Amino acid sequence: MSANSLMKRLRAIQWSWLGLMLLTALCVAVFRETRPVFSGLLLGEMGGLFVIFSMIRQGHLNDNVQGQLLFASGMVGMFARLALIVVIMVIALKFRALFNPYAALVGYALSFVFVIIGMYRYAKNPPDQQG
């Protein structure tokens, strides 16, 4: 797999996520009667933006990090994402009139779905390995 085509796939995932956030923000503005649901979804998607960038940023693509350093980097990322969902849920629960906590959880979980689907499609259709 070439690094260039991988970076294109990662950028596509990032841009599609930003498009989803824009669509959700538009729904917050338009659908006033369901504003807490869309606001909760947007809150979760904002947290999901960190998930997208932390999971698919260039990371260790070219720096040859291996072994314990790679494991430690993954653990730090995992705990940061875990702490973030706790913060999002505390905010959603504290301000229930503004944010639906279930929608916030769904918005956050969607980020993992975007990464998995985007990378699955890349893995099923690998680019030409000669180059």
Side-chain angles (χ1 to χ4, degrees):
M1 292 187 255
S2 74
N4 191 26
S5 61
L6 177 61
M7 293 309 293
K8 285 181 185 177
R9 170 54 60 183
L10 297 179
R11 278 193 298 276
I13 294 169
Q14 291 170 351
W15 282 108
S16 61
W17 185 255
L18 292 173
L20 178 69
M21 287 182 65
L22 184 65
L23 181 65
T24 305
L26 184 64
C27 289
V28 169
V30 172
F31 301 116
R32 296 184 185 273
E33 58 278 349
T34 57
R35 184 171 279 168
V37 172
F38 286 113
S39 294
L41 191 61
L42 188 60
L43 176 67
E45 288 173 0
M46 283 189 231
L49 189 61
F50 173 76
V51 170
I52 296 285
F53 285 122
S54 73
M55 288 183 77
I56 67 173
R57 70 187 191 283
Q58 187 168 356
H60 303 294
L61 191 60
N62 295 320
D63 62 2
N64 296 326
V65 171
Q66 298 176 6
Q68 291 180 337
L69 285 177
L70 185 60
F71 179 76
S73 173
M75 293 303 290
V76 168
M78 181 189 70
F79 284 120
R81 289 186 291 274
L82 221 104
L84 182 62
I85 188 59
V86 169
V87 169
I88 288 170
M89 292 310 294
V90 166
I91 291 171
L93 290 170
K94 181 84 172 159
F95 301 103
R96 274 187 180 258
L98 298 174
F99 305 109
N100 182 320
Y102 299 111
L105 185 60
V106 167
Y108 185 79
L110 276 175
S111 61
F112 292 100
V113 172
F114 265 63
V115 171
I116 290 169
I117 289 174
M119 296 311 293
Y120 178 78
R121 291 176 68 197
Y122 180 81
K124 291 303 273 184
N125 300 318
D128 185 14
Q129 303 217 359
Q130 298 172 352

